[in-house]
Amino acid sequence: MKKYNKGFTLIELLIVLSLFVVLLAGIFSIISIVQKSYCSADTRSKVMEKVNLALMVIDKDIRSASKPNKLTNSIIVHSAEGNLSKGQSMDVYYHYHNENDNTDKYYRIGYRLLPIDKSKLQRGWVECTDPIPPVDTAKPFYGEIIDDSTDYESGEGGKWKTILDGVEYEKGSINIEIFEDITEDADSERRTIKVTFVVNDTEKPLKVPVTIEKSLTSRTKGIPTN
């Protein structure tokens, strides 16, 4: 009489299948963790790139800042203003001399969190229409920066332009000061501004947002004279 080898019993097959499922679940779990880690690192890298680009623009403006007159600092960090809290808006005065035609131009460059959406940092500018800024007026205004709610991207013609989004403007109940004047000498022409950015991605939020602090110092360029 022939003897046949026994196959797997149903219970043995179920045990093998269960172990196989557990093994697959572990593999997929590891793949998922690695993928999420990669996506998070990629998102963080993109956010840091955006922040650094914004800092380059701010650094250039601050380094080029100059006093418009003896009564006004070259850079003014504003206290609470409208819907914005202390340190959430700033003015930078700038003087440009064209050597080709020996003319001078004076600008007020503004930075602010967009009042209707404070997660956006904006930059805008306005040109002084006078040949020289008024010498007896503190914080000369030069005029309004164009506030066109239908176009926050072009920055043309002195409009406000969004240069960074995803800005976190408060931590709990405490407002974050984006700009802070930390100049030790209150009368110094050179101003040192501490810029603090806490930024997250607007599409793929990070568990821990990117935080960057940087101190930027202006150069001395003198004061316009008649």
Side-chain angles (χ1 to χ4, degrees):
M1 185 175 180
K2 290 184 178 180
K3 292 184 178 180
Y4 295 95
N5 292 327
K6 288 185 177 180
F8 292 108
T9 65
L10 180 60
I11 294 176
E12 289 172 332
L13 284 173
L14 289 174
I15 292 173
V16 171
L17 285 173
S18 298
L19 291 173
F20 184 67
V21 169
V22 171
L23 180 62
L24 280 179
I27 292 173
F28 283 122
S29 177
I30 292 172
I31 292 173
S32 177
I33 291 171
V34 171
Q35 187 177 33
K36 286 180 180 178
S37 177
Y38 172 79
C39 290
S40 177
D42 184 55
T43 301
R44 182 170 294 275
S45 176
K46 289 178 180 178
V47 171
M48 289 188 68
E49 183 179 1
K50 291 196 303 181
V51 171
N52 286 328
L53 286 173
L55 279 171
M56 285 176 61
V57 175
I58 298 169
D59 183 32
K60 181 180 178 182
D61 286 340
I62 287 178
R63 284 171 58 83
S64 302
S66 58
K67 290 170 68 73
N69 56 42
K70 293 181 179 180
L71 302 176
T72 310
N73 286 328
S74 58
I75 302 170
I76 299 172
V77 176
H78 295 291
S79 301
E81 187 177 53
N83 193 36
L84 302 180
S85 302
K86 179 183 177 183
Q88 294 183 348
S89 62
M90 172 178 73
D91 281 332
V92 180
Y93 288 95
Y94 171 65
H95 165 225
Y96 169 72
H97 177 72
N98 189 331
E99 294 183 354
N100 293 327
D101 57 8
N102 199 33
T103 58
D104 294 277
K105 291 183 179 294
Y106 301 89
Y107 299 91
R108 176 174 63 86
I109 301 170
Y111 284 91
R112 70 174 187 181
L113 295 184
L114 176 60
I116 60 173
D117 181 1
K118 293 170 69 176
S119 68
K120 298 180 185 295
L121 176 69
Q122 297 190 309
R123 176 185 184 272
W125 56 268
V126 62
E127 182 180 351
C128 177
T129 56
D130 297 324
I132 193 168
V135 297
D136 56 352
T137 303
K139 303 178 183 179
F141 192 56
Y142 296 177
E144 292 279 0
I145 298 173
I146 299 172
D147 198 343
D148 181 359
S149 60
T150 64
D151 180 10
Y152 281 132
E153 300 304 324
S154 71
E156 297 174 354
K159 290 181 181 180
W160 288 106
K161 177 183 179 181
T162 299
I163 62 170
L164 182 64
D165 58 10
V167 178
E168 297 193 1
Y169 51 89
E170 59 185 6
K171 188 175 183 180
S173 59
I174 301 174
N175 291 303
I176 297 174
E177 290 187 44
I178 309 297
F179 307 109
E180 182 182 0
D181 191 333
I182 58 173
T183 311
E184 293 184 1
D185 181 1
D187 298 322
S188 174
E189 290 186 20
R190 301 187 66 184
R191 313 305 298 176
T192 299
I193 307 299
K194 185 174 80 170
V195 181
T196 302
F197 281 140
V198 181
V199 183
N200 212 329
D201 189 79
T202 55
E203 296 180 357
K204 300 176 182 177
L206 298 163
K207 289 184 178 180
V208 180
V210 172
T211 300
I212 293 180
E213 288 187 0
K214 191 170 184 179
S215 295
L216 308 173
T217 302
S218 65
R219 297 175 294 184
T220 303
K221 294 185 67 177
I223 302 170
T225 57
N226 289 318

